[in-house]
Amino acid sequence: MDQRHRIAVEDWIDFEEEQHQVTGITGALVRLRSISGRHQTIMLSILLTDPTFRTLTAPPATSDNGTAGLDPGGVLASLTNKQARDDALELEAHLYEATTGFRSGSSFDKEPGEPRPQYHPDLLLSERVVTKAAELGLTERRIWQLLEEWEEKGLWALVDGRKARLKNPLRNIDERVITAIREQAAAEQRDSSSSVSTRFRRRTQNRLDADYGPGTVELPKPDTFRRVVKLLLHRSPSDPAYQRISDANQPDRTFGNVIAHRPGQVVMLDTTPLDVLAYDPAMNDTYNVELTVAIDVTTRSILAWRLTPLGTKAIDIGLLLADVMTPEPMRPEWADALRYQMLRVPFERHLSVDERLAEAAARPVVYPETLLYDHGKPYKSDVVKRACRKWRIDLQDARKLKPTDKPHVERLFGTIREQFSMHIAGYKGFNVAHRGKHVEEQARWTLDEIAEFFAEYVIAVYQNQHHRGLTLQGFPDLNVSPNEAYAMALGAAGYVDCPRDPKMYYELLPIADGGRAINSYGVELDYLVYNEDVLYKFRRAKSPYDNGRWPIRYDPRNLLHTYFHNPRNDTWYTLRWTKALSDLQPFTDITLREARRLVEQRGGDPKDKDFQEQIAKALWDLQNRTDAPEMWTKTDRTRHTRDRHRGEAQAQDEARSTPAVPATVPPPVPEVVEPTVPALHAVPDLPGEDDFDPFAVQPAEVWNPHTSQEG
């Protein structure tokens, strides 16, 4: 039957089992572009007489090449259509047989019965191609085209393009809509979460109207809009705000690496709230805890840690540096396998350098070279700067709101939460959405007990657990533990002896601004007067320092005492607050500020002579020793727990150094018991008027209203 065909440029046809578009006609020649992107030129007469030729009344549903610009091997490896890949492998075996005579392509891997007579290698290639075309039911020309494309593109050229076509779910979405969605999401990264179908959709439409005019570009239907947003954005506008803010803080370029080759070369410090509530049995209450850690980048070892009530001080950071260079003492209940000598290091040689390692636990002891920390106020204090200057440690602060600058310690906090915090009674989750209903009732461990649990976790578990970021040199697939990495690093870089200053604690304490003058009544600090007998020799005397004042050091965790260094005998002395009651518990600088605020609210003036007495009374009221603990408010219980724990921590840190000369403790006021029956006091017989010594008479007992009320 006579068939007439009309072919024009941009028409679509089927030819040799593939769809083509006519891109040009020059005389008797036709130029075609296949749907897979291949170009060819063929005579019009041959095209029209080919049995596989037929015209298409409509263009293909997807006329664009979805695989353009992609790695063919990657597209082939990611094919979900297993049949398309199997068909391509089968066709490749046929082409191997047509070209070599063997389906595997090699005579060494031939199958039984190969080579078949019609595909014997001694035959001409053209004869084998003709035989293969007849076997597959294809034209000889098609076999030659497949061979040419196979040599050029490999296996990908043999995949049926109709089965391997990639789908583009955004092909029907206006590019202006896609751009507006991305720009609006970037503008709301730090805003509160919103619904995709309401506020975010409305703001996106407003952006399109402002850019292109009202009604020019319309958003798709709500369901389609939600699907498009899900495809375009990693974080949906309805995701929690902290997740979107965290993503917004990430750098807009490739992440770098912090390189360290020896222990202590780079040490990262950071503080985070521990996801565990501590229990105070004295107050029958719970409170939050903060964890401060130091991690060595080279070995991923946890070098030191501090658990404190909420509100880490600068002195805590300074003493943390001292802990890094101090061996962790063994606990009596720990196994001998956790001793430092069990590390694969030359223990006897280390012991000859530092005798403290004899009773140390298996935790690396390093001398930090560079500290990497964030912009927290305790880290930028003078205490940390003086400590680093004393030990010649370089300081490097991370950028603000860039946790990716210290990723090792940030990831460590996640590991601690998964391996430690989740398994402690009182775990509260890292946000409210993960918090249980009865967390306060489940909390049962005190802060000291949690600190002991954490120390055992670090020594027994973390330091001996294989780390994915640590590998054996020369064996990238073999992971090692932080302790093993420390032993290998010592073999390459050697052991650096750490300073052992017995007066380290006092030298790390902050100094009162500008120094203080020693008056007849003592020294004054924050309107509190401290005194001790040793100051008698220095009263109204100028110091040998430049400003002529005496440096007075204090520990903000316990302001009952300050510390004075006697330059004559190089000894530290403890100065006691003159108005401190014998049974007044330690108090922090936070409690002192609160007491001063209460005094000023009552009309007190720092210039008044009785201002110290007013502060003492306010401190007494704050500590509420006249009330039962169950009558205290939440704020009072928190203040009492914080002051008590920080006072204990201060005492422990002071005990690790050479003890200062203690302050004179006033004798306790004896309890006054009122007699039930009034009685007369007999005057003893004196030995004689000439022998009377008025200084030998014992003074009368002083009645203390607070002591009597306690009784």
Side-chain angles (χ1 to χ4, degrees), residues 19 28 97 135 150 153 240 291 300 343 350 383 467 488 504 514 542 557 574 602 625 693 701:
Q19 295 173 339
E97 187 177 26
E135 179 182 350
W150 182 43
K153 300 180 181 179
L291 171 65
R300 303 297 197 276
L343 295 177
H350 292 184
V383 176
H467 196 290
M488 292 188 301
M504 184 182 304
K542 290 187 176 181
R557 300 171 298 178
T574 303
R602 298 168 185 172
R625 287 195 173 274
D693 186 4
E701 297 177 350

Side-chain angles (χ1 to χ4, degrees), residues 645-690:
H645 180 272
R646 290 198 173 279
E648 294 173 355
Q650 179 269 334
Q652 294 176 2
D653 292 330
E654 184 179 7
R656 294 168 55 181
S657 301
T658 302
V661 178
T664 304
V665 180
V669 179
E671 182 180 359
V672 178
V673 180
E674 297 182 359
T676 56
V677 179
L680 296 177
H681 296 275
V683 178
D685 295 334
L686 299 177
E689 293 185 5
D690 297 337

